[in-house]
Amino acid sequence: MASAALAVLLVSGVVGCAASKVDPKAMVDLHGGLLRPDGSAAPKIAAGLFRAPDPAELLTVGLTAGAALVSCLSKESLPICKTVQQQRTDANGGYRFRMRGSDVQGFFGEASFFSLAASLPPAGAEVAGPSVVSDFKIQRTPTFRCRL
């Protein structure tokens, strides 16, 4: 009974998912820029890129996520550690993330969901500064600039 439920879960997780158009052996270069609300560049801001694990990855790796996250601190880290990357923007507000084509695909070759997030530090009496979160799938790597 449990294996039948697992099979239904796996199949339902894959149905409706778009197949990746990226060659698994290709190099993917995701780059863009962050702008302040006034339109000026946002230099030296941390930009984080998160790849959402697909259902199969959650079943195979996610069950041990607590232990896996601790192991991400070592040099011999697990594949789940690649789900979060962080870069600081350059003097022009630019960021760049480089990955393999296989890194932008799920367990069954579907296009993975990504989130890019960044925020400015609070100014004056603000509790939090302006922030941006953008969700997307990587099927190609256009350049875009996010305004904070």
Side-chain angles (χ1 to χ4, degrees):
M1 182 69 165
S3 60
L6 178 61
V8 169
L9 178 63
L10 284 174
V11 170
S12 65
V14 174
V15 173
C17 295
S20 176
K21 297 176 184 174
V22 178
D23 180 346
K25 297 176 186 170
M27 291 305 297
V28 175
D29 188 26
L30 175 66
H31 55 98
L34 297 173
L35 302 175
R36 296 179 177 278
D38 65 5
S40 65
K44 301 194 186 330
I45 299 298
L49 180 67
F50 171 74
R51 183 179 66 81
D54 66 37
E57 290 171 316
L58 287 175
L59 288 173
T60 59
V61 179
L63 298 176
T64 59
L69 292 178
V70 171
S71 73
C72 290
L73 301 175
S74 74
K75 291 181 181 181
E76 301 288 328
S77 61
L78 297 172
I80 196 170
C81 301
K82 295 180 183 179
T83 61
V84 178
Q85 298 180 52
Q86 186 174 347
Q87 297 285 324
R88 289 227 170 251
T89 57
D90 61 22
N92 298 317
Y95 59 84
R96 180 170 304 247
F97 296 95
R98 291 191 172 122
M99 302 164 276
R100 293 185 318 258
S102 60
D103 294 336
V104 302
Q105 298 174 349
F107 188 80
F108 295 107
E110 72 279 7
S112 295
F113 284 97
F114 283 82
S115 292
L116 178 72
S119 63
L120 292 172
E126 291 179 338
V127 174
S131 63
V132 63
V133 176
S134 180
D135 299 321
F136 52 91
K137 289 182 178 182
I138 296 179
Q139 294 285 29
R140 54 190 172 89
T141 55
T143 300
F144 62 95
R145 295 182 81 77
C146 295
R147 190 175 300 256
L148 293 170

